[in-house]
Amino acid sequence: MAGSRQGNPLKIVILFIALLLPALGTSECSAHADRPIGSAYGMVVSTSDGNHLTVDNNGTEIVVRLHCIDAPVITKVHRNQPWLSRPGQPFAGKAFMALSNKVLHKQVRLDILKIDHRQEAIAVVYLDGRNINFEMVAEGWAWADPKCKKRSAD
């Protein structure tokens, strides 16, 4: 193909991937995920454990997982298939209560960083200017995900 300006398709694909990969990040706790994709405000209507809550945003419920923290797992009971039940971890109930006491039935701001494969908003939760994600870790109710970039308590 003398005189043709078409490049090698494999080179084009590799270049495309090289340009796109940094924008995707490797996990929701990557450095790129620290830039919010949006914000939302609403009332916390429920908490399901130490790092999940549901926010009512003008009639739309947003299921939220707190960004870059991991709280103890609550016992999972399967009613129809008890052999699939999984035991919980120590202090799971107390972590759940700590998050509930902080945010349940209160107005919060969400800085949404990503929507994961379960359609949960991965977010930093703020209540009256306080970073609830940071507070859960600082008070010992959750662990900071070691893959996450160090964040201040802003």
Side-chain angles (χ1 to χ4, degrees):
M1 279 202 200
S4 172
R5 294 217 162 239
Q6 287 191 345
N8 181 340
L10 182 59
K11 285 182 182 177
I12 293 171
V13 169
I14 290 172
L15 179 61
F16 178 75
I17 291 171
L19 292 173
L20 185 62
L21 209 53
L24 294 176
T26 55
S27 76
E28 64 266 3
C29 293
S30 69
H32 299 287
D34 283 341
R35 290 183 223 123
I37 60 171
S39 292
Y41 296 85
M43 171 85 64
V44 177
V45 293
S46 69
T47 56
S48 56
D49 59 25
N51 59 341
H52 282 87
L53 50 89
T54 303
V55 173
D56 180 357
N57 175 257
N58 295 321
T60 302
E61 288 196 347
I62 303 171
V63 178
V64 178
R65 179 163 47 104
L66 276 64
H67 175 62
C68 282
I69 75 166
D70 190 20
V73 176
I74 291 180
T75 301
K76 304 291 185 204
V77 177
H78 289 268
R79 292 184 181 138
N80 297 332
Q81 300 170 325
W83 58 89
L84 294 177
S85 296
R86 290 180 286 156
Q89 293 175 306
F91 299 101
K94 291 185 178 187
F96 162 70
M97 288 306 299
L99 182 60
S100 294
N101 289 337
K102 287 178 181 298
V103 298
L104 191 59
H105 305 301
K106 296 180 182 161
Q107 290 287 331
V108 297
R109 183 184 96 217
L110 306 174
D111 281 355
I112 301 170
L113 303 163
K114 177 181 175 179
I115 305 297
D116 73 5
H117 64 280
R118 290 174 286 210
Q119 299 304 303
E120 295 175 339
I122 310 303
V124 178
V125 178
Y126 292 94
L127 172 67
D128 298 327
R130 299 176 5 233
N131 182 330
I132 299 302
N133 302 40
F134 178 81
E135 285 185 14
M136 290 295 289
V137 173
E139 294 171 6
W141 300 118
W143 304 275
D145 187 328
K147 295 177 285 199
C148 289
K149 185 172 112 173
K150 186 177 179 180
R151 291 181 60 101
S152 67
D154 47 45

